[in-house]
Amino acid sequence: MFSSFGTIFKATTFGESHCPGTGVVVDGCPPRLPLAPADIQPQLDRRRPGQSRLTTERSEADTVTILSGTENGLTLGTPIALLVANKDQRPADYASMQQVPRPSHADYTYQMKYGIRAASGGGRSSARETIGRVAAGAVAEKLLRERLGVQIVAWVQAVGEIDAPQIDVLSVDRAGVDQSDVRCPHAESADRITAEIAKAKAARDSVGGVIACVCRNVPAGLGEPVFGKTEALLAQAMLSIPATKGFEIGSGFSGARMLGSRHNDPFVPKEGRLGTLTNRSGGVQGGITNGEPIVFRVAFKPPATIGQTQETADFEGQPVTFAAVGRHDPCVVPRAVPIVEGMAALVLADLALIQSMRR
Ligand SMILES: Cc1cc2nc3c(=O)[nH]c(=O)nc-3n(C[C@H](O)[C@H](O)[C@H](O)COP(=O)(O)O)c2cc1C
C-alpha cells in the first residue's frame, strides 16, 4: 500500500537500485487511450543517468517495455505493467556502506525500520525507484493531454545561490527547458548553474536546487475538500520524491510577508470564464483548481553521497572517517524535472477522474 499513489488512477512502483528491473503497475487508466512506448520513453530519457557529464556516470538505457494493459496500441482498462531493466549494477561500490550508514542518506533509517536493507545502491531509497513514477506519469500525462489539453512543464529555477529570473509560465515549454543540460530555460543562468554543478563535482561535493512547475489548461473544479485538496496532494506527491525538502504553491512562503490588499487575485472575465488578474493563489483556491495555471516550486537538498571525507560513526557507534566511492549525482535537479512533471500528472489525472464521476 505504501508503494502506491492515487485513488482511481493508481500507480504502484516496484524495484531496488540493483535488482534485475524496476517499474510500475498503473491500475485505473481508462480504456481506449492510444498508448505506445514512444509516449513514455522521452520522459525516461530525460530522467536517465549518464545523460550529461553533470549527472551520475551510471550508464543505463532505461528502455521501457509495456508488459500488459494494451492491445493494438490502445489501453484496455486493465492494469498496465511497465518494466525497465537495471543493467549497469556495481554492488561492490557499496561495500564500505555495509558497515557505515551514509550521513543524511536512508541507510540508517531503512535498517532501523526493517532490520535488513538492500545495501547495494540504496535499494528502494535510490532514485532508480523514480523510474516507475516517470513512466506512470507519462501515461497520466497522455490521458490529461488527450482528454483535457493539459500541459505540464517543469524547469530548474535555482541551484545553490544562483536563482534564474522569473520564467514566463504561460510560454515556457520543454524544448526551451532542454536547451541546456541543466534544464534551466534562462540561458545565462543555465551557464552559471552548469559551472556551479561542475565546481561541486570537482570538489567531490554536491549542491541543491529548486524546480518550478506549471500545469496549464487545468479545468476549474478539480480537487477534493478537505483532505484531498489539490495543493495537499501535490505537496504529498512532490515531498515523496527523494531528496526533496520543501514545497510551495503560488506566492508560497513569500505570501506570508504580504498584506491581503496586495496578495488578493481580483477576478476578471477571461476567454468566456471568470479568471484572475494575478495568480498568487497558484491556480488553487479552497483546494480546488480555479482554471488559472497551477504554479509550484520544489526544493531539493544537495545529494548525500559525496566523495569528500566526513567524520561520522559506523552502525556500531564507532567513529569513522568515511568517503563514498562510486557514481553519484553532484546535483539532482536536472534529472528530477521529469519526475516532478510525472508526479504532477499523477495527481491531476486522479483528480480529473474523480471529478468526472460527479457529472
Ligand atoms: C534524480 C535523483 C537522483 C539522485 N541521485 C542521488 C545520488 O547520486 N546520490 C545520493 O546520495 N542521493 C541521490 N538522490 C537522493 C537520494 O535518493 C535521497 O537523498 C535518499 O533516498 C534519502 O532520502 P531523503 O533525502 O529524501 O531523506 C537522488 C535523487 C533524485 C530525485
Side-chain angles (χ1 to χ4, degrees):
M1 138 188 212
F2 296 110
S3 284
S4 300
F5 186 76
T7 303
I8 297 183
F9 193 104
K10 193 187 276 279
T12 302
T13 70
F14 61 86
E16 283 81 36
S17 176
H18 288 185
C19 73
T22 91
V24 67
V25 176
V26 178
D27 205 358
C29 181
R32 301 181 303 283
L33 176 75
L35 187 71
D39 293 310
I40 302 165
Q41 196 59 51
Q43 285 294 78
L44 287 175
D45 290 346
R46 295 174 85 218
R47 196 222 70 95
R48 84 177 177 83
Q51 54 184 293
S52 86
R53 67 188 172 83
L54 298 176
T55 64
T56 168
E57 285 135 30
R58 180 167 172 167
S59 170
E60 296 279 4
D62 283 353
T63 306
V64 69
T65 304
I66 302 179
L67 292 180
S68 70
T70 65
E71 196 169 272
N72 299 324
L74 293 176
T75 58
L76 297 166
T78 54
I80 303 167
L82 305 171
L83 181 67
V84 165
N86 283 329
K87 295 203 165 133
D88 186 16
Q89 300 106 316
R90 284 193 206 160
D93 280 354
Y94 291 84
S96 63
M97 297 168 207
Q98 298 284 351
Q99 277 78 44
V100 184
R102 282 171 291 174
S104 290
H105 211 288
D107 306 328
Y108 175 74
T109 50
Y110 266 62
Q111 187 65 36
M112 289 302 103
K113 183 168 187 62
Y114 297 106
I116 186 171
R117 73 188 196 287
S120 61
R124 199 124 166 88
S125 72
S126 154
R128 296 296 291 160
E129 182 273 334
T130 63
I131 285 173
R133 300 161 183 253
V134 171
V139 180
E141 226 190 312
K142 178 94 196 250
L143 180 71
L144 289 165
R145 204 168 43 235
E146 293 253 320
R147 307 260 160 113
L148 298 170
V150 170
Q151 299 170 342
I152 302 173
V153 183
W155 64 94
V156 171
Q157 177 66 40
V159 164
E161 295 295 325
I162 300 161
D163 204 344
Q166 202 163 354
I167 304 296
D168 178 16
V169 297
L170 297 181
S171 64
V172 64
D173 61 15
R174 286 190 190 165
V177 170
D178 285 355
Q179 264 173 12
S180 72
D181 286 343
V182 294
R183 298 210 162 86
C184 174
H186 183 257
E188 192 195 316
S189 306
D191 288 345
R192 292 177 62 209
I193 286 171
T194 302
E196 188 72 9
I197 299 175
K199 193 171 90 186
K201 186 179 176 185
R204 290 182 293 147
D205 211 335
S206 64
V207 62
V210 175
I211 291 181
C213 182
V214 59
C215 310
R216 294 186 289 251
N217 300 338
V218 179
L222 306 193
E224 299 301 312
V226 289
F227 295 115
K229 290 181 177 178
T230 304
E231 71 265 50
L233 296 177
L234 282 172
Q236 188 196 348
M238 297 307 148
L239 294 177
S240 74
I241 300 172
T244 51
K245 281 291 174 210
F247 172 86
E248 53 178 9
I249 186 162
S251 58
F253 277 74
S254 74
R257 295 191 291 272
M258 294 168 82
L259 294 170
S261 52
R262 264 211 63 212
H263 189 267
N264 284 350
D265 297 319
F267 284 108
V268 287
K270 230 186 223 185
E271 297 151 15
R273 65 178 174 93
L274 206 52
T276 62
L277 194 61
T278 49
N279 188 18
R280 288 186 254 280
S281 304
V284 182
Q285 290 164 337
I288 303 171
T289 56
N290 66 358
E292 296 298 318
I294 299 175
V295 185
F296 63 85
R297 288 166 298 282
V298 188
F300 287 78
K301 73 182 192 184
T305 314
I306 55 174
Q308 280 189 17
T309 51
Q310 299 170 82
E311 299 305 321
T312 181
D314 66 15
F315 275 106
E316 306 301 321
Q318 296 305 312
V320 286
T321 302
F322 175 76
V325 290
R327 304 156 295 172
H328 294 282
D329 289 291
C331 181
V332 307
V333 286
R335 292 182 57 212
V337 162
I339 307 174
V340 167
E341 291 168 341
M343 291 307 294
L346 287 178
V347 170
L348 295 178
D350 201 30
L351 291 178
L353 290 174
I354 292 170
Q355 177 67 355
S356 71
M357 295 191 310
R358 291 218 169 72
R359 300 223 169 90

